[in-house]
Amino acid sequence: MDERSDALVVFQPSGRRGRFPLGTPLLDAARSLGVYVESVCGGRGLCGRCQVSVEEGAFSKHQIVSSVDNLTPFSETEARYRRLRSLPADRRLSCSAKVMGDLVVDVPQDVASHRALVRKRAEGRPIAVDPSTHLVTVTVEEPSMETPRGDADRLIDALVGAEQMVGLSIDMPLLAQVQKTLRAGHWRVTAAIHSAGDSHTVIGLWPGEKARLFGLAVDIGSTTIAAHLCDLGSGRTVASAGTSNPQVRFGEDLMSRVSYILMNPDAVEKLTEAVRGAVGVLIEKVAAEAGIAADEIVEAVFVGNPIMHHLFLGIDPTELGGAPFAMAVSGSVSASARDLGLAINPCARVYVPPLVAGHVGADAAAATLAEGPGRVPPGDGAAAEAVTLLVDIGTNAEIVLGRGERVIACSSPTGPAFEGAEISSGQRAAPGAIERVRIDPATLEPKFKVIGCDLWSDEEGFEEAVAGVGITGVCGSGIVEAIGEMFLAGILTEDGVIDGRLVAQSDRIVPSERTFAYVLHAGLVDLRVTQGDVRAIQLAKAALYAGIKLLMTRLEVEAVDRIRLAGAFGSYIDPKYAMVIGLIPDCPLEQVSAVGNAAGTGARMVLLNKTHRAEIEDLVGRIEKVETALEPAFQGHFVSAMALPNKVDRFPNLSASVPLPLPRTTARGETTGDEGADARASGRPRSRRGARKAAPSDEAAE
Ligand code: FES
């Protein structure tokens, strides 16, 4: 073998290194070493998130000489990106540049991970305020020779007198500050008292009068982390901030992070450090935005899925990686900020709600508290008895179904397709992503909307308006709409096959390997919906739907009355298209609503009102868990749910407002199912396109 057939590549700042055959794209080299380089456009040279720079010089530590000349020359793709978006002189696109010799490569943080939209905002739901910590201002008796009592003891006397409470103590680290604070306030001070049952503790002390205290509600997702700073007096959210979870460096999804831990001895510490570091940055941001000192934050609530929960608490989550998915701790956890190294008041109390099961977390518990079955507007008795489905769609969908007091939950492995991964033109929801799609059923021509541009693609001025963000890919809500519209327009059969016979009719349908693809946008690089993309979405939606069906069987119901879509994806997906592709069961469309970041809302409820803590603990105790992997019926439901919208289930409510195409022959001429059943059950009308495609020319086309 030629001695120059491979080269050593070292990535900074992680220091990960490996040898790669000459010609390997740098992005692939980074991936194979587990170095996180973002690539939202899937390596098409459109998003620019994969930028890297080469460090030049002799690196004795690595025994190599690194030079930009050890990369393939600047490509046409990179030149185009530089022309359109600007690329600093020292940067290369790692999806385009290939290894031609030894390299030390720097992965700059200014372009990575933080550009994705963090769509986890605090919802405006009013919450009755009754937090665990409150403020009391007292005047403390000055010391005297006659009564030799400690300053802290006289502080407690004053507080007990003012509050009429027993069992009051001062948190140990505060003792060292009592004397200074009393004198700074000329014996008038304000204390923050935290109450848990019959135990009361002073956890904060300030000289003079003080009127406001703050708490933090944090939702730690595997992809994004969102923090809300709340005024513990008014309950108002005074600042919010979000960021990508830096743990993505160690693995995009939860299971790859668990694998990383299994293979690297000090990985738990690294992952814990990463998530706590990101939380620290968010704390700084929200405190600065609200103009408060970090020590005014005296309470914090954290929710997350079981793996995020364990890692945040510094617990090894590997037991959660396989059956029986044993949790290190499932009950609620109470700690102080100093236990977790959080840069807020060191005596601040941290509360982590209980986990539901090995892969249904405190985030699902919080979402259920906020929006789950039984949580209805006061006085709405009918709604309390409604069969309510709450779905939080991420890489793992959390599904909660219930009626009245009975609540059942499971999680289903939907995979990352709804987040744009595994989709040929997929990307995360970020500026430049197609998020809305309409297809004219007569001409098969599409129009779309892009995040960061208010105009539809067929509106005047679109080209200029979109120039700032570009058209870089299709995000989760965009791919769901594209597939829904392709089905409604007759481009997709019930089985999800792209109908190749339409090639002759529209240049939007093109051969692609041994199947066909739909060209959604013909630009510098075509954005297509391929047969593989349709399959990826079918698999993901079938997994979700099968989980929902298991819960419906367990609850002994045939239909659901209300559907609540939680999470970032749930907030942006159009319920109509979610139903058209059979992601969710039939239900009156007006009863399907997005509830935003329900986990974050639940976290704020628990932060702002101590009775919600008892409530969430009771709720988690009552939730019946269904383990999808152990249910024999899952497979059958899954197979039926691969069809659009479903092979066996009917969608009468949807059909009443959306003309679904009739089942018809596939591109290969096979029948796609019970042609009359849908019409029998739903009485739905035939669509224009459906009518056209059912013409005798079907045979001729074969
Ligand atoms: Fe390289 Fe998008 S991944 S430009």
Side-chain angles (χ1 to χ4, degrees):
M1 186 191 270
D2 176 359
E3 60 178 358
R4 292 294 303 166
S5 64
D6 68 6
L8 179 66
V9 183
V10 181
F11 285 93
Q12 301 287 35
S14 66
R16 288 190 203 172
R17 50 191 281 153
R19 298 202 75 86
F20 296 92
L22 301 189
T24 305
L26 264 182
L27 183 60
D28 293 357
R31 291 228 163 114
S32 69
L33 292 174
V35 173
Y36 183 70
V37 177
E38 194 160 294
S39 119
V40 297
C41 74
R44 295 189 298 279
L46 295 172
C47 69
R49 309 284 207 274
C50 65
Q51 292 176 31
V52 294
S53 60
V54 169
E55 294 187 22
E56 300 226 50
F59 292 79
S60 53
K61 184 172 154 207
H62 305 298
Q63 296 184 322
I64 58 173
V65 178
S66 167
S67 160
V68 278
D69 297 335
N70 289 346
L71 280 177
T72 43
F74 207 68
S75 67
E76 179 43 39
T77 305
E78 292 170 291
R80 186 190 64 209
Y81 184 84
R82 177 167 285 167
R83 252 192 339 268
L84 295 175
R85 301 253 182 287
S86 97
L87 184 65
D90 64 332
R91 297 283 174 86
R92 299 291 303 267
L93 296 182
S94 64
C95 63
S96 183
K98 299 189 176 92
V99 177
M100 295 307 288
D102 295 343
L103 292 160
V104 174
V105 178
D106 189 47
V107 183
Q109 286 305 297
D110 54 351
V111 286
S113 63
H114 303 291
R115 287 221 191 141
L117 283 195
V118 177
R119 292 169 147 181
K120 285 186 172 183
R121 59 180 188 273
E123 309 304 322
R125 139 198 296 267
I127 300 168
V129 180
D130 181 18
S132 301
T133 303
H134 69 286
L135 287 172
V136 186
T137 302
V138 289
T139 302
V140 178
E141 199 182 310
E142 292 187 32
S144 72
M145 297 289 280
E146 292 72 42
T147 39
R149 239 169 110 57
D151 286 352
D153 303 273
R154 275 178 287 102
L155 169 63
I156 287 185
D157 290 347
L159 290 169
V160 166
E163 290 289 287
Q164 301 295 306
M165 56 174 50
V166 289
L168 179 69
S169 62
I170 298 179
D171 208 16
M172 222 293 284
L174 261 189
L175 283 175
Q177 292 164 35
V178 168
Q179 291 198 306
K180 251 196 207 145
T181 312
L182 285 173
R183 283 156 184 82
H186 306 290
W187 305 99
R188 187 148 176 85
V189 290
T190 302
I193 300 179
H194 178 265
S195 301
D198 293 335
S199 141
H200 310 281
T201 314
V202 179
I203 59 170
L205 193 66
W206 295 268
E209 316 245 330
K210 177 169 178 56
R212 294 171 80 191
L213 269 189
F214 297 88
L216 198 64
V218 185
D219 174 15
I220 305 176
S222 30
T223 313
T224 58
I225 305 175
H228 307 295
L229 182 69
C230 301
D231 183 321
L232 291 181
S234 67
R236 271 194 332 112
T237 302
V238 293
S240 294
T243 184
S244 299
N245 188 332
Q247 290 180 344
V248 290
R249 280 204 307 274
F250 304 95
E252 281 266 8
D253 57 49
L254 290 172
M255 281 310 140
S256 46
R257 284 177 221 173
V258 171
S259 311
Y260 180 84
I261 291 169
L262 287 170
M263 288 177 327
N264 296 278
D266 57 347
V268 175
E269 291 75 18
K270 276 196 205 159
L271 278 124
T272 299
E273 211 175 282
V275 65
R276 289 188 190 167
V279 168
V281 170
L282 291 180
I283 291 170
E284 267 180 42
K285 269 194 197 166
V286 290
E289 192 185 321
I292 67 159
D295 87 324
E296 294 178 87
I297 304 172
V298 294
E299 292 256 7
V301 170
F302 290 86
V303 298
N305 63 55
I307 291 177
M308 291 301 101
H309 165 282
H310 277 41
L311 285 171
F312 175 69
L313 294 174
I315 301 170
D316 185 338
T318 46
E319 290 296 329
L320 296 167
F325 310 105
M327 297 166 275
V329 55
S330 59
S332 64
V333 173
S334 297
S336 69
R338 61 183 181 276
D339 296 334
L340 300 172
L342 296 173
I344 54 179
N345 189 313
C347 301
R349 293 307 195 243
V350 176
Y351 177 79
V352 184
L355 301 177
V356 178
H359 35 66
V360 185
D363 50 352
T368 311
L369 176 75
E371 298 290 347
R375 180 149 294 276
V376 292
D380 191 347
E385 278 310 305
V387 177
T388 300
L389 172 68
L390 171 66
V391 186
D392 193 339
I393 305 162
T395 27
N396 231 17
E398 274 140 8
I399 310 167
V400 179
L401 182 76
R403 175 163 56 187
E405 286 289 288
R406 189 157 178 224
V407 186
I408 313 174
C410 72
S411 75
S412 200
T414 42
F418 294 133
E419 291 175 355
E422 292 179 353
I423 302 297
S424 63
S425 298
Q427 71 162 77
R428 291 227 186 107
I434 292 177
E435 60 167 349
R436 297 267 168 265
V437 177
R438 298 289 179 269
I439 297 174
D440 184 318
T443 64
L444 306 188
E445 281 301 301
K447 63 175 182 175
F448 53 80
K449 264 182 112 168
V450 166
I451 297 177
C453 173
D454 291 335
L455 299 176
W456 281 90
S457 60
D458 62 346
E459 287 182 276
E460 213 183 301
F462 173 76
E463 296 296 333
E464 300 76 58
V466 85
V469 291
I471 304 169
T472 52
V474 189
C475 69
S477 60
I479 194 73
V480 166
E481 291 203 6
I483 289 175
E485 282 281 313
M486 285 167 71
F487 176 57
L488 293 176
I491 298 166
L492 280 178
T493 67
E494 185 194 37
D495 288 333
V497 176
I498 298 176
D499 192 342
R501 292 170 301 184
L502 297 172
V503 165
Q505 199 178 309
S506 164
D507 55 11
R508 293 278 169 181
I509 317 292
V510 293
S512 171
E513 296 179 353
R514 291 173 56 214
T515 56
F516 295 90
Y518 178 75
V519 181
L520 190 54
H521 171 62
L524 292 167
V525 173
D526 284 355
L527 298 181
R528 299 175 173 201
V529 180
T530 65
Q531 189 61 66
D533 299 336
V534 179
R535 283 284 174 260
I537 291 294
Q538 281 179 291
L539 290 167
K541 70 106 179 175
L544 176 66
Y545 195 90
I548 296 171
K549 287 290 285 182
L550 285 180
L551 298 192
M552 289 172 70
T553 308
R554 180 70 73 92
L555 193 63
E556 297 174 12
V557 295
E558 296 283 321
V560 300
D561 301 316
R562 311 188 309 155
I563 300 177
R564 300 289 176 258
L565 298 171
F569 176 68
S571 297
Y572 289 88
I573 188 178
D574 184 328
K576 177 177 109 178
Y577 290 99
M579 219 177 270
V580 166
I581 70 160
L583 181 78
I584 50 174
D586 187 58
C587 172
L589 271 175
E590 66 280 7
Q591 289 298 337
V592 184
S593 57
V595 291
N597 180 13
T601 305
R604 286 191 303 119
M605 290 168 67
V606 166
L607 173 74
L608 292 170
N609 190 318
K610 55 180 180 281
T611 58
H612 288 316
R613 296 189 184 188
E615 209 179 318
I616 199 168
E617 289 175 19
D618 168 66
L619 175 67
V620 170
R622 278 192 291 119
I623 294 178
E624 298 167 40
K625 294 97 187 166
V626 170
E627 179 51 69
T628 46
L630 302 179
E631 292 286 333
F634 184 85
Q635 193 58 22
H637 292 314
F638 181 85
V639 170
S640 301
M642 282 293 286
L644 299 171
N646 193 288
K647 202 70 155 178
V648 293
D649 287 350
R650 301 299 147 214
F651 287 72
N653 283 294
L654 175 66
S655 302
S657 48
V658 181
L660 296 178
L662 285 172
R664 59 186 176 79
T665 55
T666 66
R668 290 201 177 87
E670 299 147 354
T671 56
T672 55
D674 175 5
E675 264 79 351
D678 263 4
R680 276 200 307 274
S682 64
R684 71 192 179 205
R686 288 156 72 97
S687 71
R688 264 198 297 163
R689 180 105 195 138
R692 179 160 60 77
K693 291 304 297 174
S697 62
D698 277 356
E699 280 87 44
E702 279 299 293

